[in-house]
């Protein structure tokens, strides 16, 4: 393979966002597209999403007179709609604790219905209502049943479907390639440096447009639902290239991760009527969200669980968990609606949820922050919204921002799909509008990355060399302990100091594997460096934000502060490597959706 | 008291080793450790060069299919406790063996080359081919139609079935259980317009009629799916549609009957 490899568009990441963009751009006539994925495309983490994808299809409604948690029935042909994009929009704004940009949420909810039908026409096998329409269930923070689902493997069917469509449209995949650097010269994005993991060789890819769809960054925490691949490579690589990161301090903790493992038991468990119980058997959510109970948004439920645990009412022998009780749902419903969840509980807890509750705990789950973009995936370089020419992003690595301070369940599959699709159209317009291929002028573009890899593989001075794995482990505990669900100045200061120490340790650490071929030891070292890079941004942002909003909860600043903090954090990497914070206004329709107290 | 486990791992780096060899590691057995946890622990603390694939950790991404005690499985959801001492008649006590999936070229250690697997998947054109005119909203679909597809739809393409199949071992052109399960999904899909073409693709000596109904695929599938039955059904559909005539048809019918007998026991 001779370098540079040239494409019109190079996309990094083959989950829903990257695959949608590739498929759409290909359909629009751009034939020369390359998609890089660190794992095989079908292993992308989008496939792990379980519960549903939001869209106001109006296929089901609550049975009249049964209350907010009663059974659901299909809406007859002549029935009144119970849901609308407007209602979806309000729920999302409220869920975001008013940090989501309302103009962008408008786009999200208005594309939602259309994208659902497109998925269905492309072959997704959704669960059905009695009359054959796409079935819907309830989800936390949504005031209507609008989670469209395929049992509890929704992400899996969406991912497989969109990947098949990419194959149909002739997209080129580079499976098991890892992005190392975004090449920017004179302010123009020109391509990437990437490693072919199989051979260990570094390659330069020159392209007119580069898109990142690299997913989230939950792997910086010890207890996480995230796949091992979710190390935030895209956000770190972009940040190193001068792209600002937005709202990185907002990290969602999902209330129902398997105890100790963090593996997710879908919110669909609660959507289908599951209870949360503390060690005394009490449904404690009545003390925190009496109206919504278990179907309050994730930030609120996770805080409630942690409070129960912290106050000594946890479940299990060690009182460090909470019970997710599904036993009253009955065998049939569990087998039909939650088969994967049942399997997970059996494998990791040895518990059959038909008969026994499962022990769970909050788990780092979703990254609200990321690379700032407009609604068409164009990355912006500053608070004024100036474009970062030739660079696009979508999905969890991006921050549009539609989720603000807290994402509602089922809005992430939607976001990845909607903004992936829009980015595909936008990149096609960009190319067809005469975008040039700016050559890479650096005569040795892979040098910096080569040296970085040689450094971690260097066997000299072994007496001083530390190991990489303990650094990653220490970082994850540090983020869990000091930048978890509840934060304060003291913890965050301590967390930041520890990250600086670990960065120092990293410069002296070495890998053990000395081979070129499929060197996952080197891969983990590079990932660990990325974790350290963006974790510093997360903690710095959290330390500066002296308020509690959505998933960012400060015990020393317990109130939301709209006077000072109704704004997005932007972090640029300074010359000495530390993040410099600046702020950007939130887009709010003050007449229609003014900030109000967030109660459930 | 802590119990220790010997983890025997088959190692091989084609760049430096003449042939694969076994290497033993010792770790502590705890209640909640999976086989994947064991591999992660060995890589982190004992031998950073140990190479394997993994990602989601809960049997949905399909990365970590390997052989544990000579059986194809996903290591992420296999409890270590459950496979210690189940290694068969000649296995040592407190021992578990881990090897790469068989029949596939080894890239390094437990990582195998699945290119042929993916080529076969792509060869059956796995995407839906809907009619030119689509409805304004969704296609209506019955519960029965959804259920008929559910089995095939939940396949995660981990390759455990593929590399448990002796036909795959002997014939590189064989489509494999995964590709035919995907074909089954599309043939069963009421939205698909080309089921006949799909049957043509698999009704040949490299497809449904090469399946010997050894049914290893059923044992190997970590998702509890039944590719053998799907293949037999496709074969039957293809016979019914009159694609195969005469003596050959009789032989096929017998194969299908055998297959049904075999799969009904599972």
């Amino acid at each position: 393979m001779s370098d540079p490899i040239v494409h019109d568009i190079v996309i990094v990441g083959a989950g829903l966002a990257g695959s949608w963009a590739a498929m759409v751009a290909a359909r629009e006539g751009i034939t020369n597209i390359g998609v890089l994925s660190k794992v095989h495309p079908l292993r992308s983490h989008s496939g792990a999403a379980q519960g549903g994808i939001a869209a106001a299809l109006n296929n089901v409604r609550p049975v009249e007179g049964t209350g907010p948690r009663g059974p659901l029935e299909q809406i007859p042909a002549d029935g009144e709609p119970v849901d609308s994009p407007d209602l979806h929009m309000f729920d999302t704004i409220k869920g975001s604790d008013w940090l989501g940009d309302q103009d962008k949420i408008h786009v999200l909810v208005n594309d939602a219905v259309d994208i659902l039908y497109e998925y269905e026409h492309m072959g997704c096998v959704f669960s059905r209502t009695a009359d054959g329409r796409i079935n819907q269930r309830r989800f936390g923070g949504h005031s209507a049943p609008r989670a469209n689902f395929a049992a509890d493997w929704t992400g899996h069917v969406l991912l497989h479907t969109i990947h098949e469509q990419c194959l149909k449209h002739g997209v080129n995949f580079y499976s098991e390639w890892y992005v190392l650097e975004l090449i920017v010269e004179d302010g123009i994005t020109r391509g990437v440096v990437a490693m072919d993991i199989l051979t260990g060789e570094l390659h330069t890819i020159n392209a007119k447009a580069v898109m990142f769809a690299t997913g989230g960054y939950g792997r910086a925490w010890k207890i996480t639902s995230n796949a091992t691949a979710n190390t935030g490579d895209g956000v770190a690589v972009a940040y190193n290239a001068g792209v600002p990161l937005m709202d990185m301090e907002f990290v969602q903790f999902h209330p129902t991760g398997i105890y100790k493992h963090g593996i997710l038991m879908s919110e669909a468990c609660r959507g289908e009527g599951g209870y949360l119980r503390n060690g005394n058997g009490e449904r404690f959510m009545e003390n925190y969200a009496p109206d919504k109970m278990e179907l309050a948004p994730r930030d609120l439920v996770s805080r409630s669980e942690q409070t129960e645990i912290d106050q000594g009412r946890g479940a299990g022998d060690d009182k460090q968990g909470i019970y997710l009780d599904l036993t009253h749902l009955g065998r049939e419903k569990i087998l039909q609606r939650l088969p994967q969840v049942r399997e997970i509980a059996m494998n990791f807890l040895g518990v059959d949820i038909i008969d026994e509750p499962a022990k769970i705990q909050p788990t780092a789950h979703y990254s609200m922050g990321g690379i700032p973009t407009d609604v068409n995936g164009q990355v912006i370089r500053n608070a004024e919204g100036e474009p970062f020419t030739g660079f696009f992003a979508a999905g969890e690595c991006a921050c549009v921002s539609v989720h603000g301070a807290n994402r509602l369940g089922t809005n992430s599959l939607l976001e990845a799909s909607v903004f992936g699709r829009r980015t595909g159209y936008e990149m096609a317009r960009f190319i067809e509008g005469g975008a040039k291929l700016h050559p890479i002028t650096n005569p040795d573009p892979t040098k910096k990355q080569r040296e970085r890899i040689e450094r971690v593989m260097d066997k000299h001075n072994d007496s001083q060399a530390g190991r990489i794995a303990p650094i990653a482990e220490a970082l994850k505990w540090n983020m869990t302990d000091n930048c978890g669900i509840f934060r304060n100045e003291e913890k965050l200061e301590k967390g930041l100091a520890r990250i600086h120490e670990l960065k120092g340790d990293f410069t002296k650490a070495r890998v053990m594997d000395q081979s070129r071929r499929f060197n996952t030891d080197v891969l983990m070292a590079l990932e660990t460096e990325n974790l350290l890079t963006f974790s510093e941004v997360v903690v710095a942002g959290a330390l500066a934000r002296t308020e509690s909003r959505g998933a960012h909860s400060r015990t020393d600043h317990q109130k939301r502060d709209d006077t000072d903090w109704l704004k997005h954090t932007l972090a640029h990497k300074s010359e000495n490597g530390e993040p410099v914070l600046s702020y950007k206004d939130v887009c709010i329709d003050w007449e229609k959706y003014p900030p109000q107290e967030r109660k459930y | 008291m802590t119990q220790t486990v010997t983890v025997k791992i088959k190692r091989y780096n084609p760049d430096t080793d003449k042939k694969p060899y076994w290497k033993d590691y010792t770790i502590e057995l705890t209640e909640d450790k999976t086989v994947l946890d064991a591999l992660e622990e060995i890589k982190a603390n004992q031998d950073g060069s140990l190479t394997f694939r993994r990602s989601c950790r809960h049997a949905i991404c399909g990365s970590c299919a390997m052989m544990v005690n000579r059986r194809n499985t996903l290591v992420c959801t296999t409890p270590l406790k459950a496979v210690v001492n189940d290694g068969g008649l000649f296995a040592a006590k407190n021992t578990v063996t881990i090897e790469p999936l068989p029949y596939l070229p080894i890239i390094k250690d437990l990582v195998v080359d699945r290119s042929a697997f993916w080529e076969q998947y792509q060869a059956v054109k796995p995407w839906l081919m809907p009619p030119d005119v689509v409805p304004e909203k969704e296609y209506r679909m019955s519960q029965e139609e959804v259920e008929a597809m559910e089995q095939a739809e939940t396949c995660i393409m981990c390759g455990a079935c593929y590399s448990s199949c002796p036909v795959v071992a002997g014939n590189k052109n064989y489509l494999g259980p995964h590709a035919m399960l995907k074909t089954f999904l599309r043939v069963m899909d009421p939205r698909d317009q080309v089921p006949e073409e799909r049957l043509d693709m698999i009704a040949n000596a490299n497809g449904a009629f090469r399946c010997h109904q050894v049914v290893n695929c059923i044992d190997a599938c970590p998702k509890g799916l039944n590719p053998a039955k799907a293949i037999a059904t496709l074969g039957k559909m293809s016979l019914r549609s009159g694609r195969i005539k005469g003596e050959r048809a009789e032989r096929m019918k017998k194969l299908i009957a055998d297959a049904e007998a075999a799969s009904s026991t599972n």
Side-chain angles (χ1 to χ4, degrees):
Chain A
M1 211 171 287
S2 66
D3 280 1
I5 301 163
V6 177
H7 284 293
D8 283 333
I9 297 173
V10 63
I11 297 172
V12 185
L16 289 186
S19 293
W20 260 106
M23 191 268 286
V24 166
R27 217 167 53 184
E28 290 295 291
I30 312 295
T31 52
N32 184 13
I33 301 169
V35 181
L36 273 55
S37 172
K38 182 161 74 163
V39 292
H40 183 277
L42 286 179
R43 317 294 187 217
S44 304
H45 198 49
S46 298
Q50 297 168 2
I53 173 168
L57 298 194
N58 275 304
N59 287 349
V60 307
R61 66 183 180 195
V63 173
E64 217 182 309
T66 59
R69 286 178 296 281
L72 301 173
E73 62 179 10
Q74 67 189 34
I75 301 180
D78 57 350
E80 285 288 306
V82 294
D83 201 6
S84 68
D86 277 350
L87 198 55
H88 187 182
M89 179 156 173
F90 178 75
D91 290 342
T92 303
I93 293 167
K94 185 177 173 188
S96 83
D97 220 348
W98 274 269
L99 195 73
D101 286 327
Q102 297 180 2
D103 52 342
K104 290 153 175 177
I105 297 173
H106 184 76
V107 171
L108 178 81
V109 299
N110 278 290
D111 281 9
V113 173
D114 182 58
I115 211 151
L116 251 287
Y117 293 138
E118 192 170 349
Y119 265 127
E120 206 275 344
H121 295 158
M122 291 190 305
C124 279
V125 185
F126 288 100
S127 297
R128 299 284 157 161
T129 60
D131 66 353
R133 287 176 285 170
I134 297 172
N135 208 346
Q136 304 184 288
R137 58 163 57 117
R138 291 190 176 92
F139 245 71
H142 292 280
S143 54
R146 67 169 74 96
N148 305 277
F149 65 95
D152 57 359
W153 45 68
T154 311
H156 167 85
V157 303
L158 302 186
L159 178 67
H160 279 241
T161 302
I162 193 75
H163 181 67
E164 290 154 7
Q165 294 294 316
C166 283
L167 295 178
K168 180 183 170 189
H169 287 94
V171 172
N172 307 297
F173 285 99
Y174 295 78
S175 191
E176 303 189 309
W177 280 50
Y178 181 64
V179 70
L180 293 161
E181 190 175 318
L182 179 68
I183 303 173
V184 182
E185 291 178 3
D186 305 323
I188 296 166
T189 309
R190 297 169 193 237
V192 295
V193 176
M195 176 167 67
D196 176 351
I197 296 171
L198 172 57
T199 62
E201 278 168 20
L202 303 193
H203 294 281
T204 310
I205 304 175
N206 190 192
K208 295 174 185 171
V210 176
M211 176 192 181
F212 275 14
T214 54
Y217 48 87
R219 274 274 143 186
W221 284 262
K222 183 62 191 173
I223 303 294
T224 177
S225 64
N226 283 203
T228 53
N230 293 10
T231 48
D233 303 304
V235 285
V237 168
Y239 177 67
N240 288 336
V243 178
L245 298 182
M246 190 158 108
D247 292 343
M248 290 290 285
E249 62 270 33
F250 292 99
V251 177
Q252 177 171 77
F253 286 77
H254 190 293
T256 56
I258 295 269
Y259 182 64
K260 273 194 177 170
H261 294 274
I263 290 160
L264 202 65
M265 293 187 69
S266 171
E267 184 166 323
C269 295
R270 285 170 288 137
E272 295 291 351
Y275 298 153
L276 292 171
R277 296 185 190 280
N278 64 17
N280 304 332
E282 296 153 350
R283 283 181 70 190
F284 56 89
M285 284 310 298
E286 62 193 11
N287 301 324
Y288 301 91
D291 283 350
K292 292 271 182 181
M293 295 291 282
E294 283 86 355
L295 284 178
R298 291 172 178 176
D299 57 336
L300 204 163
V301 181
S302 288
R303 275 195 301 278
S304 310
E305 289 181 354
Q306 197 58 48
T307 304
E308 291 295 301
I309 293 167
D310 291 348
Q311 294 181 357
R313 292 187 298 276
D317 294 341
D318 59 0
K319 291 181 178 282
Q320 292 301 304
I322 292 291
Y323 287 129
L324 173 61
D325 184 358
L326 303 163
T327 53
H328 56 284
L329 298 184
R331 183 181 191 87
E332 198 187 336
K333 193 166 190 183
I334 288 172
L335 291 181
Q336 200 192 15
R337 299 287 180 86
L338 303 166
Q340 192 193 165
V341 164
R342 175 168 178 249
E343 217 178 275
I344 290 169
M346 279 183 172
N347 283 325
F348 291 96
L349 297 169
V351 159
D352 188 344
I353 54 173
I354 292 172
D355 308 315
E356 274 180 89
K359 193 173 168 189
I360 49 94
Q361 75 181 114
T363 181
H365 181 60
Y366 186 86
S367 316
M368 267 79 72
I371 301 164
T373 71
D374 69 11
V375 287
N376 295 314
Q378 170 65 60
V379 174
I380 58 168
R381 58 171 73 241
N382 52 30
E384 288 70 46
E386 286 174 63
F388 206 102
T389 309
F391 188 37
F392 301 82
E396 194 174 346
C397 76
C399 183
V400 178
S401 120
V402 289
H403 309 307
N406 171 66
R407 175 178 68 80
L408 295 186
T410 69
N411 267 352
S412 72
L413 289 180
L414 181 63
E415 182 215 359
S417 311
V418 162
F419 293 108
R421 183 168 78 166
R422 294 180 77 95
T423 306
Y425 283 117
E426 183 66 11
M427 289 193 297
R429 277 196 293 271
F430 180 69
I431 305 294
E432 280 162 354
K436 286 197 185 67
L437 183 77
H438 294 276
I440 295 159
T441 62
N442 181 348
D444 191 2
T446 61
K447 181 168 183 267
K448 204 160 92 188
Q449 298 305 324
R450 228 169 40 234
E451 286 173 355
R452 193 175 155 213
I453 291 166
E454 279 161 13
R455 209 278 302 156
V456 292
M457 288 182 79
D458 184 11
K459 282 173 87 168
H460 297 297
N461 299 326
D462 253 357
S463 60
Q464 288 176 37
R467 305 268 307 283
I468 308 277
I471 297 174
E473 183 75 0
L475 173 72
K476 290 169 187 187
W477 278 116
N478 179 56
M479 295 301 281
T480 296
D481 294 341
N482 296 318
C483 196
I485 295 177
F486 290 115
R487 306 159 170 187
N488 60 43
E489 188 179 350
E490 193 191 334
K491 282 186 181 183
L492 292 166
E493 291 278 14
K494 201 170 131 192
L496 202 52
R498 186 78 178 114
I499 291 170
H500 292 152
E501 263 171 42
L502 292 171
K503 278 185 146 181
D505 294 349
F506 186 85
T507 63
K508 298 192 280 287
R510 302 282 187 277
V511 300
M512 295 166 81
D513 191 348
Q514 290 297 318
S515 63
R516 302 255 294 161
R517 174 186 283 261
F518 219 98
N519 192 328
T520 53
D521 215 15
V522 163
L523 193 65
M524 282 162 73
L526 300 169
E527 288 172 339
T528 300
E529 196 173 8
N530 287 339
L531 293 175
L532 287 163
T533 299
F534 71 74
S535 291
E536 185 179 5
V537 180
V538 172
V539 181
L543 184 60
R545 187 174 283 274
T546 50
E547 66 158 351
S548 290
R549 183 187 298 272
H552 173 66
S553 187
R554 292 271 305 245
T555 53
D556 50 351
H557 298 276
Q558 295 184 10
K559 289 241 163 72
R560 189 175 88 195
D561 176 0
D562 284 348
T563 316
D564 293 324
W565 289 107
L566 196 52
K567 55 194 183 187
H568 301 293
T569 307
L570 284 177
H572 271 96
K573 189 174 177 178
S574 66
E575 277 182 16
N576 69 12
E578 299 210 348
V580 177
L581 305 181
S582 59
Y583 294 92
K584 177 177 180 287
D585 286 341
V586 178
C587 176
I588 285 180
D589 182 337
W590 289 93
E591 291 198 356
K592 218 169 162 191
Y593 305 109
Q596 39 176 276
E597 196 189 351
R598 187 163 164 256
K599 271 178 141 171
Y600 287 96
Chain B
M1 206 179 74
T2 57
Q3 189 188 343
T4 57
V5 173
T6 303
V7 184
K8 297 175 87 72
I9 302 176
K10 202 174 248 183
R11 305 289 310 267
Y12 181 48
N13 181 343
D15 293 335
T16 50
D17 305 323
K18 283 210 176 85
K19 56 180 185 184
Y21 60 97
W22 289 97
K23 196 167 175 186
D24 290 4
Y25 302 88
T26 306
I27 60 160
E28 207 177 289
L29 178 67
T30 57
E31 196 62 21
D32 57 1
K33 216 173 262 179
T34 62
V35 176
L36 176 59
D37 292 335
L39 289 172
E40 296 273 20
E41 189 181 318
I42 293 165
K43 185 173 179 68
N45 304 331
Q46 300 183 36
D47 190 344
S49 70
L50 176 63
T51 305
F52 51 90
R53 288 189 180 107
R54 83 283 187 254
S55 197
C56 77
R57 307 168 297 143
H58 64 278
I60 193 74
C61 83
S63 299
C64 68
M66 314 173 191
M67 265 218 291
V68 177
N69 291 344
R70 309 293 297 162
R71 278 197 295 273
N72 296 12
T73 189
L74 293 178
V75 293
C76 67
T77 47
T78 304
L80 185 59
K81 201 178 57 164
V83 289
V84 170
N85 296 331
D86 85 337
L89 204 54
F90 304 105
K93 263 192 154 182
N94 292 335
T95 297
V96 57
T97 63
I98 310 175
E99 299 164 79
L101 288 180
Y103 311 145
L104 307 177
I106 297 174
I107 291 174
K108 187 173 164 185
D109 293 345
L110 303 165
V111 175
V112 291
D113 180 357
R114 287 185 176 112
S115 1
F117 172 84
W118 293 119
E119 277 160 25
Q120 307 293 31
Y121 157 76
Q122 209 164 326
V124 299
K125 300 186 180 169
W127 50 87
L128 183 80
M129 300 192 207
D132 291 336
V133 181
V134 294
E136 193 190 328
K137 295 184 170 181
E138 70 268 62
Y139 290 88
R140 296 294 177 105
M141 211 179 276
S142 73
Q143 204 59 48
E144 290 70 32
E145 285 170 327
V146 170
E147 272 167 27
M149 284 185 277
E150 213 159 70
Q151 280 279 313
E153 183 203 347
T154 51
C155 169
I156 60 174
M157 293 284 155
C158 68
C161 62
Y162 180 79
S163 78
S164 76
C165 174
V167 181
V168 168
N171 178 359
K172 291 293 164 235
N173 296 318
Y174 178 53
L175 282 172
H178 67 304
M180 283 190 279
L181 192 63
K182 193 58 131 175
T183 302
F184 177 78
L185 172 70
R186 292 298 171 229
V187 168
M188 296 305 282
D189 194 322
R191 298 166 294 187
D192 196 77
Q193 294 301 293
V194 292
E196 297 282 303
E197 273 176 44
R198 295 184 190 278
L199 288 176
D200 276 344
M201 270 190 265
I202 56 92
N204 55 56
N206 286 323
F209 301 131
R210 178 66 64 184
C211 172
H212 294 176
Q213 291 291 336
V214 180
V215 302
N216 278 4
C217 54
I218 306 174
D219 291 334
C221 180
K223 305 302 278 185
L225 309 182
N226 193 336
K229 192 173 173 189
I231 295 169
T233 308
L234 288 173
K236 195 154 63 180
M237 288 170 134
S238 140
L239 277 181
R240 284 221 181 100
S241 66
R243 293 188 136 61
I244 295 152
K245 308 235 166 19
E247 199 182 315
R248 194 162 157 237
E250 291 310 310
R251 191 163 61 90
M252 295 305 164
K253 272 180 194 158
K254 187 181 174 304
L255 275 176
I256 290 160
D258 291 350
E260 283 187 343
S263 60
S264 66
T265 60
N266 282 279

